[in-house]
Amino acid sequence: MNLSAIRRSKRELENLLAAHGEDETLRGIVQADIAKMQEAEQYYHWLDQLIDALESGEIFSFIPKPGAPE
């Protein structure tokens, strides 16, 4: 799953930062990449909620099907 790959990559970046954090250029790049990974992780959590709403039909309480009775 994509979420596990994101978490694994984030851990690897954190390890890289811990091992080579004294290099300011590398630190800036790694911190930016970690921030991107955090945003991606939030997106996948949101996507899981959307999928749950689609599978349960809950989505139709927010966006009715065309022609469905109100």
Coordinates of all heavy atoms in Angstrom, one line a residue:
M1 N 0.9 -1.2 0.0 CA 0.0 0.0 0.0 C 0.9 1.2 0.0 O 2.0 1.3 0.5 CB -0.9 0.0 1.2 CG -1.6 1.2 1.5 SD -2.8 1.1 2.8 CE -4.2 1.8 1.9
N2 N 0.4 2.3 -0.6 CA 1.1 3.5 -0.7 C 1.5 4.1 0.7 O 2.5 4.7 0.9 CB 0.4 4.5 -1.5 CG 0.3 4.2 -3.0 OD1 1.3 3.6 -3.5 ND2 -0.7 4.5 -3.6
L3 N 0.5 4.0 1.6 CA 0.7 4.6 2.9 C 1.9 4.0 3.7 O 2.7 4.7 4.3 CB -0.5 4.5 3.8 CG -0.7 5.3 5.0 CD1 -0.4 6.8 4.7 CD2 -2.0 5.1 5.6
S4 N 2.1 2.7 3.5 CA 3.2 2.0 4.2 C 4.5 2.4 3.5 O 5.6 2.6 4.2 CB 3.1 0.5 4.2 OG 3.0 0.0 2.9
A5 N 4.5 2.6 2.2 CA 5.7 3.1 1.5 C 6.1 4.5 1.9 O 7.3 4.8 2.1 CB 5.5 3.0 0.0
I6 N 5.1 5.3 2.1 CA 5.3 6.7 2.6 C 5.9 6.7 4.0 O 6.9 7.4 4.3 CB 4.0 7.5 2.6 CG1 3.6 7.8 1.1 CG2 4.2 8.8 3.4 CD1 2.2 8.4 1.0
R7 N 5.4 5.9 4.9 CA 5.9 5.8 6.2 C 7.4 5.3 6.2 O 8.2 5.8 7.0 CB 5.0 4.9 7.1 CG 3.7 5.6 7.4 CD 2.8 4.7 8.2 NE 1.6 5.4 8.5 CZ 0.4 4.7 8.7 NH1 0.4 3.4 8.6 NH2 -0.7 5.4 8.9
R8 N 7.6 4.3 5.4 CA 9.0 3.7 5.3 C 9.9 4.8 4.8 O 11.0 5.0 5.4 CB 9.0 2.5 4.5 CG 10.3 1.8 4.4 CD 10.2 0.4 3.6 NE 9.6 0.6 2.3 CZ 8.4 0.1 2.0 NH1 7.7 -0.6 2.9 NH2 7.9 0.2 0.8
S9 N 9.5 5.5 3.8 CA 10.4 6.5 3.2 C 10.6 7.7 4.2 O 11.8 8.2 4.3 CB 9.8 7.1 2.0 OG 9.7 6.1 1.0
K10 N 9.6 8.0 5.0 CA 9.7 9.1 6.0 C 10.7 8.6 7.1 O 11.6 9.4 7.5 CB 8.4 9.4 6.6 CG 8.3 10.7 7.3 CD 6.9 11.1 7.5 CE 6.5 10.7 8.9 NZ 5.2 11.0 9.4
R11 N 10.7 7.4 7.5 CA 11.6 6.9 8.5 C 13.1 6.9 7.9 O 14.0 7.3 8.6 CB 11.3 5.4 8.9 CG 10.3 5.3 10.0 CD 10.2 3.9 10.5 NE 10.0 2.9 9.5 CZ 8.9 2.4 9.0 NH1 7.8 2.9 9.5 NH2 8.9 1.5 8.1
E12 N 13.2 6.5 6.7 CA 14.5 6.6 6.0 C 15.1 8.0 6.0 O 16.3 8.2 6.2 CB 14.5 5.9 4.7 CG 14.3 4.4 4.7 CD 14.1 3.8 3.3 OE1 14.2 4.5 2.3 OE2 13.7 2.6 3.3
L13 N 14.2 8.9 5.6 CA 14.6 10.3 5.6 C 15.0 10.8 7.0 O 16.0 11.6 7.1 CB 13.5 11.2 5.0 CG 13.3 11.1 3.5 CD1 12.0 11.7 3.0 CD2 14.5 11.6 2.7
E14 N 14.2 10.5 8.0 CA 14.6 10.9 9.3 C 15.9 10.3 9.8 O 16.7 10.9 10.5 CB 13.4 10.4 10.3 CG 12.2 11.3 10.1 CD 10.9 10.7 10.7 OE1 10.9 9.5 11.2 OE2 9.9 11.5 10.8
N15 N 16.2 9.0 9.4 CA 17.5 8.4 9.7 C 18.6 9.2 9.0 O 19.7 9.4 9.6 CB 17.5 6.9 9.3 CG 16.6 6.1 10.2 OD1 16.3 6.5 11.3 ND2 16.2 5.0 9.7
L16 N 18.4 9.5 7.8 CA 19.4 10.3 7.0 C 19.7 11.6 7.7 O 20.8 12.0 7.8 CB 18.9 10.5 5.6 CG 19.8 11.2 4.6 CD1 21.1 10.4 4.4 CD2 19.1 11.5 3.3
L17 N 18.6 12.3 8.1 CA 18.7 13.5 8.8 C 19.5 13.4 10.1 O 20.4 14.2 10.4 CB 17.3 14.1 9.1 CG 17.3 15.5 9.6 CD1 17.9 16.5 8.6 CD2 15.8 15.9 9.9
A18 N 19.2 12.3 10.8 CA 19.9 12.1 12.1 C 21.4 11.8 11.9 O 22.3 12.2 12.6 CB 19.3 10.9 12.9
A19 N 21.7 11.1 10.8 CA 23.1 10.7 10.5 C 23.9 11.9 9.9 O 25.1 12.0 10.1 CB 23.1 9.5 9.6
H20 N 23.2 12.7 9.1 CA 24.0 13.8 8.4 C 23.4 15.2 8.5 O 23.4 16.0 7.7 CB 24.0 13.4 6.9 CG 24.6 12.1 6.6 ND1 26.0 11.9 6.7 CD2 24.0 10.9 6.3 CE1 26.2 10.6 6.4 NE2 25.0 10.0 6.2
G21 N 22.7 15.4 9.7 CA 22.0 16.7 9.9 C 22.9 17.9 10.0 O 22.4 19.0 9.9
E22 N 24.2 17.7 10.1 CA 25.1 18.8 10.2 C 25.3 19.5 8.8 O 25.7 20.7 8.8 CB 26.5 18.4 10.8 CG 27.3 17.5 9.9 CD 26.9 16.0 9.9 OE1 26.1 15.7 10.7 OE2 27.4 15.3 9.0
D23 N 25.0 18.8 7.8 CA 25.1 19.4 6.4 C 23.8 20.2 6.2 O 22.7 19.7 6.0 CB 25.2 18.3 5.4 CG 25.3 18.8 3.9 OD1 24.9 19.9 3.6 OD2 25.9 18.0 3.1
E24 N 23.9 21.5 6.2 CA 22.8 22.4 6.1 C 22.0 22.2 4.8 O 20.8 22.3 4.8 CB 23.2 23.9 6.2 CG 23.6 24.2 7.6 CD 23.9 25.7 7.8 OE1 23.3 26.5 7.2 OE2 24.8 26.0 8.6
T25 N 22.7 22.1 3.7 CA 22.0 21.9 2.4 C 21.2 20.6 2.4 O 20.0 20.6 2.0 CB 23.0 21.8 1.2 OG1 23.8 23.0 1.3 CG2 22.4 21.7 -0.1
L26 N 21.8 19.5 2.8 CA 21.1 18.2 2.9 C 20.0 18.3 3.9 O 18.9 17.8 3.6 CB 22.1 17.1 3.3 CG 21.5 15.7 3.4 CD1 21.0 15.3 2.1 CD2 22.5 14.7 4.0
R27 N 20.2 19.0 5.0 CA 19.1 19.1 6.0 C 17.9 19.8 5.4 O 16.8 19.3 5.6 CB 19.6 19.8 7.3 CG 18.6 19.9 8.4 CD 19.1 20.5 9.7 NE 19.6 21.8 9.5 CZ 20.8 22.3 9.8 NH1 21.7 21.4 10.4 NH2 21.2 23.5 9.6
G28 N 18.1 20.9 4.7 CA 17.0 21.6 4.1 C 16.2 20.7 3.1 O 15.0 20.7 3.1
I29 N 17.0 20.0 2.3 CA 16.3 19.1 1.3 C 15.5 18.0 2.0 O 14.4 17.7 1.6 CB 17.4 18.5 0.3 CG1 18.0 19.7 -0.5 CG2 16.8 17.4 -0.5 CD1 19.2 19.3 -1.3
V30 N 16.2 17.4 3.0 CA 15.5 16.3 3.7 C 14.3 16.8 4.4 O 13.2 16.1 4.4 CB 16.5 15.5 4.6 CG1 15.8 14.6 5.5 CG2 17.6 14.9 3.8
Q31 N 14.4 17.9 5.1 CA 13.2 18.4 5.8 C 12.1 18.8 4.9 O 10.9 18.5 5.2 CB 13.6 19.7 6.6 CG 14.5 19.3 7.8 CD 15.0 20.5 8.6 OE1 15.2 21.6 8.0 NE2 15.2 20.4 9.9
A32 N 12.4 19.3 3.7 CA 11.3 19.6 2.7 C 10.7 18.3 2.2 O 9.5 18.2 2.1 CB 11.9 20.3 1.5
D33 N 11.5 17.2 2.0 CA 11.0 15.9 1.6 C 10.1 15.3 2.7 O 9.1 14.7 2.4 CB 12.1 15.0 1.2 CG 12.7 15.4 -0.1 OD1 12.1 16.2 -0.9 OD2 13.8 14.9 -0.5
I34 N 10.5 15.4 4.0 CA 9.7 14.9 5.1 C 8.4 15.6 5.1 O 7.3 15.0 5.3 CB 10.5 15.0 6.4 CG1 11.7 14.0 6.4 CG2 9.6 14.8 7.6 CD1 12.6 14.2 7.6
A35 N 8.4 16.9 4.9 CA 7.1 17.7 4.9 C 6.2 17.2 3.8 O 5.0 17.0 4.0 CB 7.4 19.2 4.7
K36 N 6.8 16.9 2.6 CA 6.0 16.4 1.5 C 5.4 15.0 1.9 O 4.3 14.7 1.5 CB 6.8 16.2 0.2 CG 7.2 17.6 -0.4 CD 8.2 17.3 -1.6 CE 8.8 18.6 -2.0 NZ 9.8 18.4 -3.1
M37 N 6.2 14.2 2.5 CA 5.7 12.9 2.9 C 4.6 13.0 3.9 O 3.6 12.2 3.9 CB 6.9 12.0 3.6 CG 7.9 11.7 2.6 SD 7.3 10.5 1.4 CE 8.7 10.5 0.3
Q38 N 4.7 14.0 4.9 CA 3.6 14.2 5.8 C 2.3 14.6 5.1 O 1.2 14.2 5.5 CB 4.0 15.2 6.9 CG 5.1 14.7 7.8 CD 5.7 15.7 8.7 OE1 5.8 16.9 8.3 NE2 6.2 15.3 9.9
E39 N 2.4 15.5 4.1 CA 1.3 15.9 3.4 C 0.7 14.7 2.6 O -0.6 14.6 2.5 CB 1.6 17.0 2.4 CG 1.9 18.3 3.1 CD 2.4 19.4 2.1 OE1 2.2 19.3 0.9 OE2 3.0 20.4 2.6
A40 N 1.5 13.9 2.0 CA 1.0 12.7 1.3 C 0.3 11.8 2.3 O -0.7 11.2 1.9 CB 2.2 12.0 0.6
E41 N 0.8 11.6 3.5 CA 0.2 10.7 4.4 C -1.2 11.2 4.8 O -2.1 10.5 4.9 CB 1.1 10.7 5.7 CG 0.8 9.6 6.6 CD 1.8 9.4 7.7 OE1 2.8 10.2 7.8 OE2 1.6 8.5 8.5
Q42 N -1.3 12.6 5.0 CA -2.6 13.2 5.3 C -3.6 12.9 4.1 O -4.8 12.7 4.3 CB -2.5 14.6 5.6 CG -1.8 14.9 6.9 CD -1.5 16.4 7.1 OE1 -1.7 17.2 6.2 NE2 -1.0 16.8 8.3
Y43 N -3.1 13.1 2.9 CA -3.9 12.9 1.7 C -4.4 11.5 1.7 O -5.6 11.2 1.4 CB -3.1 13.2 0.5 CG -3.8 12.8 -0.8 CD1 -4.9 13.5 -1.3 CD2 -3.4 11.6 -1.5 CE1 -5.6 13.1 -2.4 CE2 -4.1 11.2 -2.6 CZ -5.2 12.0 -3.1 OH -5.8 11.6 -4.2
Y44 N -3.6 10.5 2.0 CA -4.0 9.1 1.9 C -5.0 8.8 3.0 O -5.9 8.0 2.8 CB -2.8 8.1 1.9 CG -2.2 8.0 0.6 CD1 -1.0 8.6 0.3 CD2 -2.9 7.3 -0.5 CE1 -0.4 8.5 -1.0 CE2 -2.3 7.2 -1.7 CZ -1.1 7.8 -2.0 OH -0.6 7.7 -3.2
H45 N -4.9 9.4 4.2 CA -5.9 9.2 5.2 C -7.3 9.8 4.7 O -8.3 9.2 4.9 CB -5.5 9.9 6.5 CG -4.5 9.1 7.3 ND1 -4.7 7.9 7.8 CD2 -3.2 9.5 7.6 CE1 -3.6 7.5 8.4 NE2 -2.7 8.4 8.3
W46 N -7.2 11.0 4.1 CA -8.4 11.6 3.6 C -9.0 10.7 2.5 O -10.2 10.5 2.4 CB -8.1 13.0 3.0 CG -9.3 13.6 2.3 CD1 -10.3 14.3 2.8 CD2 -9.5 13.6 0.9 NE1 -11.2 14.7 1.8 CE2 -10.7 14.2 0.6 CE3 -8.8 13.0 -0.2 CZ2 -11.2 14.4 -0.7 CZ3 -9.3 13.2 -1.5 CH2 -10.5 13.8 -1.7
L47 N -8.2 10.2 1.6 CA -8.6 9.3 0.5 C -9.3 8.1 1.1 O -10.3 7.6 0.5 CB -7.4 9.0 -0.4 CG -7.7 8.3 -1.7 CD1 -8.6 9.2 -2.6 CD2 -6.5 8.0 -2.5
D48 N -8.8 7.5 2.1 CA -9.4 6.3 2.8 C -10.8 6.7 3.3 O -11.7 5.9 3.1 CB -8.5 5.8 4.0 CG -7.4 5.0 3.5 OD1 -7.3 4.5 2.4 OD2 -6.4 4.9 4.3
Q49 N -10.9 7.9 3.8 CA -12.3 8.3 4.3 C -13.2 8.5 3.1 O -14.4 8.1 3.2 CB -12.2 9.7 5.1 CG -11.5 9.5 6.4 CD -11.3 10.9 7.1 OE1 -11.1 11.9 6.5 NE2 -11.5 10.9 8.4
L50 N -12.7 9.0 2.0 CA -13.6 9.2 0.8 C -14.0 7.8 0.3 O -15.2 7.6 0.0 CB -12.8 10.0 -0.3 CG -13.5 10.1 -1.6 CD1 -14.8 10.9 -1.4 CD2 -12.6 10.8 -2.6
I51 N -13.1 6.9 0.3 CA -13.4 5.5 -0.2 C -14.5 4.9 0.7 O -15.4 4.3 0.2 CB -12.1 4.7 -0.3 CG1 -11.3 5.2 -1.5 CG2 -12.5 3.2 -0.5 CD1 -9.9 4.6 -1.5
D52 N -14.3 5.1 2.0 CA -15.3 4.5 3.0 C -16.7 5.2 2.7 O -17.7 4.5 2.7 CB -14.9 4.8 4.4 CG -13.7 4.0 4.9 OD1 -13.3 3.0 4.2 OD2 -13.1 4.4 5.9
A53 N -16.7 6.5 2.4 CA -18.0 7.2 2.2 C -18.6 6.7 0.9 O -19.8 6.5 0.8 CB -17.8 8.7 2.1
L54 N -17.8 6.4 -0.1 CA -18.3 5.8 -1.4 C -18.8 4.4 -1.2 O -19.9 4.1 -1.7 CB -17.2 5.9 -2.5 CG -16.8 7.2 -3.0 CD1 -15.5 7.1 -3.8 CD2 -17.9 7.8 -3.8
E55 N -18.1 3.6 -0.5 CA -18.5 2.2 -0.3 C -19.7 2.1 0.5 O -20.6 1.2 0.3 CB -17.3 1.4 0.3 CG -16.2 1.2 -0.7 CD -15.0 0.4 -0.1 OE1 -14.9 0.4 1.2 OE2 -14.2 0.0 -0.9
S56 N -19.9 2.9 1.5 CA -21.0 2.9 2.4 C -22.3 3.6 1.8 O -23.4 3.4 2.3 CB -20.7 3.5 3.8 OG -20.6 4.9 3.6
G57 N -22.1 4.4 0.8 CA -23.2 5.2 0.2 C -23.4 6.5 1.0 O -24.2 7.3 0.6
E58 N -22.6 6.7 2.0 CA -22.7 8.0 2.8 C -22.5 9.2 1.9 O -23.1 10.3 2.2 CB -21.7 8.0 3.9 CG -21.8 9.2 4.8 CD -20.7 9.2 5.9 OE1 -19.9 8.2 6.0 OE2 -20.6 10.1 6.6
I59 N -21.7 9.1 0.9 CA -21.4 10.2 0.0 C -22.7 10.8 -0.6 O -22.7 12.0 -0.9 CB -20.4 9.7 -1.1 CG1 -19.9 10.9 -1.9 CG2 -21.1 8.8 -2.1 CD1 -18.8 11.7 -1.2
F60 N -23.7 9.9 -0.8 CA -24.9 10.4 -1.4 C -25.8 11.3 -0.5 O -26.7 12.0 -1.0 CB -25.7 9.2 -2.0 CG -25.0 8.4 -3.0 CD1 -24.7 7.1 -2.7 CD2 -24.5 9.0 -4.2 CE1 -23.9 6.4 -3.6 CE2 -23.8 8.3 -5.1 CZ -23.5 7.0 -4.8
S61 N -25.4 11.4 0.8 CA -26.1 12.3 1.6 C -25.5 13.7 1.4 O -26.2 14.7 1.8 CB -26.0 11.9 3.1 OG -24.7 11.9 3.5
F62 N -24.3 13.8 0.8 CA -23.7 15.1 0.5 C -23.9 15.5 -0.9 O -24.0 16.6 -1.3 CB -22.2 15.0 0.9 CG -21.9 14.7 2.3 CD1 -21.5 13.5 2.7 CD2 -22.1 15.7 3.3 CE1 -21.2 13.2 4.0 CE2 -21.9 15.4 4.6 CZ -21.4 14.1 5.0
I63 N -23.8 14.5 -1.8 CA -23.9 14.7 -3.2 C -24.9 13.7 -3.8 O -24.6 12.5 -4.0 CB -22.6 14.5 -4.0 CG1 -21.5 15.4 -3.3 CG2 -22.7 14.8 -5.4 CD1 -20.1 15.1 -3.8
P64 N -26.2 14.1 -3.9 CA -27.2 13.1 -4.3 C -27.0 12.6 -5.7 O -26.5 13.3 -6.6 CB -28.5 13.9 -4.2 CG -28.2 15.2 -3.6 CD -26.7 15.4 -3.6
K65 N -27.5 11.4 -6.0 CA -27.4 10.9 -7.3 C -28.4 11.6 -8.2 O -29.5 12.0 -7.7 CB -27.8 9.4 -7.3 CG -26.8 8.5 -6.7 CD -27.3 7.0 -6.9 CE -26.4 6.0 -6.2 NZ -26.9 4.7 -6.3
P66 N -28.1 11.9 -9.5 CA -29.1 12.5 -10.3 C -30.3 11.7 -10.5 O -30.2 10.4 -10.6 CB -28.3 12.6 -11.7 CG -26.9 12.5 -11.4 CD -26.8 11.6 -10.1
G67 N -31.5 12.3 -10.3 CA -32.7 11.6 -10.5 C -33.2 10.9 -9.2 O -34.2 10.3 -9.2
A68 N -32.4 10.9 -8.2 CA -32.8 10.2 -6.9 C -33.8 11.1 -6.2 O -33.7 12.3 -6.2 CB -31.5 10.0 -6.0
P69 N -34.8 10.4 -5.5 CA -35.7 11.2 -4.8 C -35.0 11.9 -3.6 O -34.1 11.4 -3.0 CB -36.7 10.2 -4.2 CG -36.0 8.9 -4.4 CD -35.0 9.0 -5.4
E70 N -35.6 13.1 -3.3 CA -34.9 13.9 -2.2 C -35.6 13.7 -0.9 O -36.5 13.3 -0.6 CB -35.0 15.4 -2.6 CG -34.1 15.7 -3.8 CD -34.0 17.2 -4.1 OE1 -34.2 18.0 -3.2 OE2 -33.8 17.5 -5.2

